[in-house]
Amino acid sequence: MKFLAAGLVLILVLLQYRLWLGDGGMGEVHRLRADIEVQKEQNRELKERNRTLAAEVQDLKKGTVAIEERARTDLGMVGRGETFYQVVEAKPVVQPAPAPPSEPEEESGGGSSRGNSPASVIQARSPNKD
């Protein structure tokens, strides 16, 4: 009787393992459901885009207003009796920022703190002849 109960428990554990962790288990089911939702959202967006494009095609086939609009915006065409004016805005002139005022150099006996001016750099590189 103990062997039969142990065998049934073992079969139950193996079936539970396959249900939760095996191929086609609950983890894969949840992943597939999430993939389905993503695909449904993409389908909704594409259907809306298709509706918009179909309406534009119908407008182009039947109406002249859409054709004129396309000719004006895409091809730069001008209708009969119209005058084309192009307004060009002047580009603003960018002034360079003024240089910050230089700080006075401090003379120190040790020479540990020197300024960054060109004179101090030259002075720092040239040997002193005292």
Side-chain angles (χ1 to χ4, degrees), residues 2 8 12 20 22-23 33 38 45-46 52 57 60 66 71 74 78 82 92 95 97 106 109 113-114 118 122 126 129:
K2 286 184 179 182
L8 290 175
L12 179 65
W20 294 102
D23 291 337
R33 284 183 180 161
V38 169
E45 291 172 4
L46 291 174
T52 304
V57 166
L60 287 171
D74 295 345
V78 179
E82 293 180 348
Q95 299 277 339
E106 293 180 17
S113 64
R114 293 185 177 155
I122 293 171
S126 62
K129 294 183 180 181

Side-chain angles (χ1 to χ4, degrees), residues 108-123:
S108 62
S112 61
S113 64
R114 293 185 177 155
N116 289 332
S117 70
S120 65
V121 172
I122 293 171
Q123 193 176 28

Side-chain angles (χ1 to χ4, degrees), residues 27-104:
E28 188 174 350
V29 168
H30 289 298
R31 184 185 56 79
L32 289 174
R33 284 183 180 161
D35 290 347
I36 288 170
E37 289 302 317
V38 169
Q39 189 63 47
K40 282 182 180 179
E41 182 61 32
Q42 287 177 349
N43 289 349
R44 279 188 222 111
E45 291 172 4
L46 291 174
K47 282 181 182 179
E48 181 62 32
R49 180 174 174 227
N50 286 345
R51 276 192 225 109
T52 304
L53 290 174
E56 187 174 344
V57 166
Q58 287 300 322
D59 193 26
L60 287 171
K61 283 183 179 179
K62 294 183 179 179
T64 58
V65 175
I67 295 171
E68 285 183 20
E69 180 184 345
R70 280 288 174 112
R72 289 175 197 279
T73 58
D74 295 345
L75 303 174
M77 299 180 104
V78 179
R80 286 195 179 111
E82 293 180 348
T83 305
F84 177 74
Y85 293 98
Q86 184 174 6
V87 178
V88 179
E89 295 181 19
K91 292 182 181 178
V93 178
V94 179
Q95 299 277 339
S102 60
E103 296 178 14

